[in-house]
Amino acid sequence: MFTPAQPIYPVSGIREIERKLIPSARPPLMERAGRAAAEDAVRLIMDRPGPILIACGPGNNGGDGLVMARQLRQAGREVIVAFADDPGELPPEAAKAYTDFIHAGGGTVSDLPAAPANGWALVVDALFGIGLRRPIEGRYATWITTMNAQRAPRMALDVPSGLDADTGKPLGTCFRATHTTTFIALKPGLLTLDGPDHCGEISVQRIDIDAPAWVPAKGQCIRPSMFRDRLVPRPRNAHKGIYGDVGILGGDRGMAGAALLAARAALWLGAGRVYGGLLDKDAPTVDSRYPEMMLRPADALPESLSALAVGPGLGTSAMALELLTAAIEREIPLVLDADALNLVAQKTALGSALAVRKAPTLMTPHPAEAGRLLSSTTAQVQHDRLAAALDLARRYHALVVLKGCGSLIATPDGRWFVNTTGHPGMATAGMGDVLTGLVTSLLAQGWPPEYALIAAVHLHGAAADRLAREGIGPIGLTAGEVVDAARGVFNGWMVEAQRGTH
């Protein structure tokens, strides 16, 4: 559970590492990569008989595939290599890999062969690597379509061909892997947008390179080890006053449920007291199911709060604007979600006020809200999710989580994190409200803002993952169910964090 966080590098970072290492690397990086890929392949198909198909392209990704083919042949596997280009046009390292493969008794075919009667044991995509920036067309597009249709494990080397390694955006025809062996370190495009749907299970082969020792990583893949030091038992001599007072501001007419979901999540994650400030004048003054929450009119929240969330069910009325303006002026940690973000996007003065706040600001937009905040569009945000998250963090001097597949957390100083927990069943009403409550609860309990956001985002997805394993979802999962599961997962983390410390 508490494995170290893995570094993530954009293509530019990987290229910088390669530039520093390639001249002196022994054995060469391509030899290491091909050998590592062959080892992964052997583990993957140990019990699958039959030939292996490796489709090699005209660059260094093809060279990795040729080294892999040589290694697998030497291990006694039947390997068919499809290679349609002129060997004399290959880059130097790939050309050597081709020559070594031929000298070892291998051969190539110039077109993709038909599958054998019993199918391939494994189909390997070694066509194009991390540097691809254009759609794949012609012969290779046809090859990828055929390979995708094979009923066999499908393995990509470094990144599925046709997938942008920085953004996770498919560039036209794209290989759909069941497994991806990536080299040196993770790339953001493997983890966000459409990347996970094309990568399958990811194996990171460091190929004997300590990447952060050569180029510091600004990106990391979130793991509970990042906030393990915050997972400490409460003293027996505890009282509710030391675990913070949460305020949740929202719940206009017809949307009180959003504020109640956020409040419940904050309460069940351990905040000392939770106040729900509801705009709907006919809203209940008590939640009969969870009477521990203290409900009141939106303009009657206590002055003394440990953390405040604004947005769940807020609406965009004049009163909502007035309350949000006042909240931004308060010198307490502030979480902005939903309509609070839409109001910031509409009112330039609010954005200016956020940018100069002294207290921490945390923002939790989905792509459409991010587009409004950036005076852009949802499509432009999704085109480069990482760039959008970093832009928001700088512009509003806030910690930002851009929600979606591979949620991205960005800091104002340019660092970023990718979350890999969660599943498609979370694409349902109220999930964002639950996340807002979780974040605000940890803030109120004294967690540093960056850790609060990282932990809450990871916990949110991990709770949904637990429910799916238990048969509750993914389809039909509700936000309210995630609240209960989040409490269980969090307490489980707490227990695990203390193992071996006594």
Side-chain angles (χ1 to χ4, degrees):
M1 173 185 292
F2 294 107
T3 56
Q6 291 181 290
I8 312 173
Y9 290 88
V11 172
S12 60
I14 295 293
R15 294 299 191 218
E16 185 177 352
I17 293 168
E18 290 175 338
R19 281 194 298 272
K20 292 181 177 181
L21 281 172
I22 284 174
S24 59
R26 297 292 181 274
L29 300 190
M30 186 174 290
E31 186 71 21
R32 300 184 201 181
R35 183 185 306 158
E39 291 170 355
D40 272 357
V42 168
R43 287 190 288 269
L44 182 60
I45 60 168
M46 191 172 295
D47 299 323
R48 287 182 63 90
I52 297 167
L53 173 64
I54 304 180
C56 294
N60 286 329
N61 197 246
D64 294 338
L66 288 162
V67 174
M68 178 186 186
R70 189 184 84 240
Q71 294 282 340
L72 288 171
R73 284 191 83 259
Q74 291 171 348
R77 296 297 301 235
E78 181 184 356
V79 181
I80 309 297
V81 174
F83 176 71
D85 293 276
D86 181 357
E89 298 295 321
L90 286 169
E93 278 195 81
K96 183 179 185 305
Y98 178 87
T99 301
D100 289 346
F101 176 62
I102 299 300
H103 287 170
T108 66
V109 296
S110 60
D111 204 355
L112 209 63
N118 294 323
W120 302 105
L122 177 67
V123 174
V124 180
D125 161 32
L127 292 172
F128 299 97
I130 61 175
L132 188 70
R133 288 293 183 268
R134 55 179 173 77
I136 297 174
E137 299 172 342
R139 172 196 290 120
Y140 290 125
T142 302
W143 282 19
I144 289 172
T145 300
T146 301
M147 292 160 68
N148 284 343
Q150 302 307 303
R151 301 185 67 179
R154 298 182 303 278
M155 181 178 179
L157 301 193
D158 216 8
V159 63
S161 291
L163 186 74
D164 188 306
D166 279 345
T167 67
K169 183 179 177 64
L171 302 170
T173 303
C174 188
F175 187 68
R176 281 188 174 267
T178 59
H179 299 76
T180 295
T181 293
T182 198
F183 307 120
I184 301 178
L186 288 165
K187 292 85 184 174
L190 302 178
L191 306 174
T192 194
L193 196 61
D194 294 310
D197 284 324
H198 287 81
C199 294
E201 181 181 322
I202 298 173
S203 167
V204 179
Q205 289 287 351
R206 295 171 55 187
I207 56 175
D208 298 322
I209 295 171
D210 180 6
W214 293 92
V215 175
K218 288 191 174 182
Q220 288 185 294
C221 188
I222 297 174
R223 294 288 184 270
S225 58
M226 298 171 67
F227 46 85
R228 180 176 185 170
D229 290 347
R230 305 299 308 178
L231 298 169
V232 295
R234 293 184 171 185
R236 295 177 65 87
N237 184 26
H239 59 85
K240 62 180 179 288
I242 62 176
Y243 298 113
D245 292 349
V246 165
I248 305 290
L249 180 56
D252 204 350
R253 182 172 295 276
M255 299 183 287
L260 293 177
L261 277 169
R264 178 184 166 197
L267 182 67
W268 282 35
L269 199 61
R273 288 176 288 242
V274 177
Y275 299 89
L278 307 178
L279 276 76
D280 184 358
K281 297 186 183 305
D282 297 322
T285 56
V286 65
D287 184 338
S288 59
R289 189 175 179 191
Y290 302 105
E292 301 90 345
M293 296 188 298
M294 292 171 278
L295 307 182
R296 56 196 60 197
D299 57 1
L301 282 176
E303 283 298 317
S304 178
L305 291 173
S306 308
L308 173 63
V310 185
L314 181 71
T316 55
S317 66
M319 183 178 182
L321 176 59
E322 180 182 339
L323 291 168
L324 175 58
T325 301
I328 291 173
E329 294 173 354
R330 299 181 71 162
E331 294 186 1
I332 56 174
L334 180 66
V335 181
L336 300 182
D337 183 30
D339 279 328
L341 299 173
N342 292 328
L343 284 169
V344 170
Q346 294 170 18
K347 306 293 182 181
T348 304
L350 293 180
S352 299
L354 283 176
V356 297
R357 282 190 90 232
K358 300 302 182 185
T361 304
L362 294 78
M363 305 172 79
T364 65
H366 57 55
E369 291 161 346
R372 297 179 197 120
L373 288 163
L374 293 170
S375 301
S376 180
T377 65
T378 303
Q380 287 172 314
V381 168
Q382 294 291 74
H383 181 76
D384 194 336
R385 286 169 50 79
L386 177 56
L390 289 166
D391 193 359
L392 284 169
R394 287 190 296 265
R395 183 175 302 197
Y396 295 102
H397 193 66
L399 292 165
V400 173
V401 55
L402 177 58
K403 296 181 288 194
C405 180
S407 291
L408 287 153
I409 293 173
T411 69
D413 62 1
R415 291 173 299 110
W416 46 277
F417 309 86
V418 182
N419 184 59
T420 57
T421 59
H423 55 71
M426 299 178 75
T428 189
M431 285 292 176
D433 304 313
V434 170
L435 175 61
T436 293
L438 298 176
V439 175
T440 313
S441 184
L442 293 179
L443 285 170
Q445 293 173 62
W447 281 50
E450 185 174 307
Y451 290 104
L453 187 56
I454 288 170
V457 169
H458 195 70
L459 174 62
H460 191 226
D465 287 341
R466 171 183 282 189
L467 289 169
R469 289 194 299 270
E470 295 171 354
I472 304 171
I475 296 172
L477 179 67
T478 65
E481 290 170 314
V482 171
V483 176
D484 188 10
R487 179 174 64 177
V489 171
F490 189 78
N491 279 291
W493 287 350
M494 193 77 71
V495 171
E496 287 298 317
Q498 300 312 308
R499 292 190 191 279
T501 62
H502 300 291

